[in-house]
Amino acid sequence: LAVERLIKEEVGGSSTQQPLRILEIGWGQGISGRRLLEAAERTGASSRVRVQYEVIELHPAVAADARAEAARRPQGAMLVHEGPWQKVMPSLDASSYDLVFYDPLNITPRYIGEEQQFEKWGLPICVFEALQFHRLLRPGGVVVQYAISHRSSTVDLLRSSVAPLFSELRLTRIEGLKPEEDTSYATLQEAGSLDVPALIK
């Protein structure tokens, strides 16, 4: 929905092809990445919108899969940044992206050899992330997270500490999902009620 909204706004009344810059954090199996790459075609706007897709991926094998996908796409359609997003994102140009899709493996700075300095300052990690997203987005751009567990404390923190940085917060509830039996990604209780947050700059 966020992509469709952006495509409608990007196209407007223009008869020339407009770029739609998308940054995904975490390639995974490439399911969402492929759908994002094909968004203009799927919505019937491929003659007027050109998706420029970038992905940040930490794991070398997963990044290699993303590069293989990029090689199958037209030149310039897909760019892969390999490394932790905490180090890659500050190097990207400000106010450059229409959509940031955030779904990485949840790691701490210690995992990549860094100290968690921001925690010593008392800055919650969700605010640290939101500041990075806000810097990268163009006015009207959207950041979407795959999902968050529906806990009052999580949603309250999002509303109180993150939403004020943006012009609008939208929460969509997803009910009744069931994780695979051998997964550690989410518990049955967590998957049963999730919120998908979208923040609009």
Side-chain angles (χ1 to χ4, degrees):
L1 290 176
V3 175
E4 291 176 8
R5 170 185 175 274
L6 286 166
I7 284 175
K8 287 177 183 177
E9 291 182 0
E10 198 74 31
V11 170
S14 175
S15 58
T16 59
Q17 199 177 48
Q18 304 294 314
L20 181 73
R21 292 195 68 188
I22 298 174
L23 175 67
E24 182 172 9
I25 304 170
W27 174 251
Q29 295 178 316
I31 297 169
S32 55
R34 291 181 181 94
R35 284 191 61 81
L36 291 168
L37 279 158
E38 294 157 6
E41 183 177 345
R42 194 173 60 253
T43 56
S46 56
S47 64
R48 292 167 293 162
V49 174
R50 181 180 71 260
V51 173
Q52 295 177 330
Y53 172 88
E54 297 176 40
V55 63
I56 302 173
E57 176 53 53
L58 173 65
H59 196 286
V62 180
D65 178 65
R67 283 192 293 272
E69 181 67 32
R72 291 189 285 269
R73 300 281 173 173
Q75 187 174 4
M78 179 175 173
L79 178 63
V80 180
H81 305 276
E82 185 176 338
W85 67 264
Q86 295 94 332
K87 290 188 175 181
V88 175
M89 279 178 61
S91 70
L92 302 177
D93 291 337
S95 303
S96 296
Y97 297 91
D98 299 289
L99 174 69
V100 175
F101 181 59
Y102 179 68
D103 186 28
L105 172 66
N106 188 20
I107 62 170
T108 66
R110 287 191 180 94
Y111 187 88
I112 56 173
E114 300 286 339
E115 287 190 34
Q116 297 185 211
Q117 296 290 344
F118 57 88
E119 289 188 358
K120 294 177 182 176
W121 301 335
L123 181 64
I125 191 167
C126 64
V127 178
F128 171 77
E129 293 165 352
L131 289 168
Q132 294 275 4
F133 301 148
H134 193 277
R135 187 187 73 83
L136 292 179
L137 287 173
R138 293 173 176 165
V142 181
V143 57
V144 179
Q145 185 169 342
Y146 173 70
I148 57 173
S149 298
H150 177 60
R151 297 193 301 255
S152 60
S153 60
T154 304
V155 174
D156 289 346
L157 184 61
L158 192 63
R159 286 184 172 134
S160 65
S161 300
V162 177
L165 301 172
F166 295 83
S167 66
E168 185 179 353
L169 164 66
R170 295 182 188 176
L171 288 170
T172 302
R173 177 70 56 81
I174 299 176
E175 303 275 1
L177 295 179
K178 294 182 179 178
E180 296 176 358
E181 291 183 7
D182 60 347
T183 186
S184 60
Y185 191 74
T187 66
L188 181 61
Q189 183 179 4
E190 288 171 336
S193 182
L194 295 171
D195 283 320
V196 178
L199 292 152
I200 302 168
K201 183 173 180 179

